[in-house]
Amino acid sequence: MMIFDTHAHYDDEAFDGDRELLLEKMAEKGIGRIVNIGADLDSTKQSAALAEKYDFIYAAAGVHPSDTDHMTEADMDCLRSTARCDKVVAIGEIGLDYHYPDIDKASQKKWFQRQLALAEEMKLPVVIHSRDAAQDTLAIMQENHAERIGGVIHCFSYGWEMAKIYLDMGFYLGIGGVLTFKNAKKLKEVVQRAPIDRLVLETDAPYLAPEPFRGKRNESPYLSYVAEALAQLKGLPVESVVQITAENAEKLYRLEHMPNE
Ligand code: NI
């Protein structure tokens, strides 16, 4: 049974010391496929390069809201040409992040909208990052008919009411290490109420490692702990959770079905 990690950042410098070693061992550690997510232009290019190098890695092209301040039209062109590569399966991560003070909300909104439009133009799903910006994210997605684009709300962190709206728009919810945290009451409720066929597993590696590795560098094999927590909440065998979430991920990223041995 192979796990599909729908969101990781193996281009991150946290992996500079052992990236190849780690990636070469994914299959034997139960990881079937990984989508490496772009956070800026540089990491988008590195994601595409990783996807070219490794069969089981795919890439997403996008600029994270924390990095849109100095974005230019030339950057959009660069994203567009990277998005044309065969193994680029999504636009992301894109969205809004109001967590830190002194952020430029107008610029975040502008480039979120532009990248949503790029996804629609390229007929690719989106990977949405939304933190402390629930209402504005939803408003922009509704205005831009995100239901026609589809995708995943990565590291879903809002309540059931918001989850329901995104599920009704056809979106998947990305579930990661936070689910294993003791204080994750809200997320546990969302997971209990959401249909299992709309949940996907994600690490956000190197961030958000699950218990018992909380605070350490995250790696895709740790997803077994998230799958275990999900299985318990859903009252399903962990093998079913791994298989169903992998099939969901294939649908989300519009990949061919890979028989899960
Ligand atoms: Ni991420």
Side-chain angles (χ1 to χ4, degrees), residues 7 9 93 154 204:
H7 190 123
H9 301 279
E93 52 190 294
H154 139 67
D204 206 17

Side-chain angles (χ1 to χ4, degrees), residues 36-71:
N36 205 78
I37 308 286
D40 55 28
L41 277 183
D42 205 41
S43 87
T44 289
K45 284 178 199 157
Q46 290 178 50
S47 298
L50 282 172
E52 205 162 302
K53 182 168 178 190
Y54 297 94
D55 270 359
F56 65 97
I57 296 183
Y58 299 80
V63 176
H64 186 285
S66 307
D67 268 291
T68 47
D69 272 19
H70 304 288
M71 229 181 136

Side-chain angles (χ1 to χ4, degrees), residues 125-137:
V126 283
V127 178
I128 302 291
H129 172 104
S130 177
R131 181 157 66 150
D132 300 341
Q135 294 309 326
D136 284 0
T137 305

Side-chain angles (χ1 to χ4, degrees), residues 3-11 23 31-38 43-61 82 85-92 124 127 246 249-250 253-258:
I3 288 174
F4 193 135
D5 184 355
T6 59
H7 190 123
H9 301 279
Y10 283 106
D11 55 289
L23 292 176
I31 305 302
R33 284 164 155 177
I34 297 170
V35 178
N36 205 78
I37 308 286
S43 87
T44 289
K45 284 178 199 157
Q46 290 178 50
S47 298
L50 282 172
E52 205 162 302
K53 182 168 178 190
Y54 297 94
D55 270 359
F56 65 97
I57 296 183
Y58 299 80
T82 309
C85 301
D86 258 0
K87 287 184 78 192
V88 174
V89 295
I91 298 296
L124 288 172
V127 178
E250 289 170 348
Y253 289 127
R254 300 158 196 170
L255 294 169
E256 262 172 66
H257 177 58
M258 192 179 269

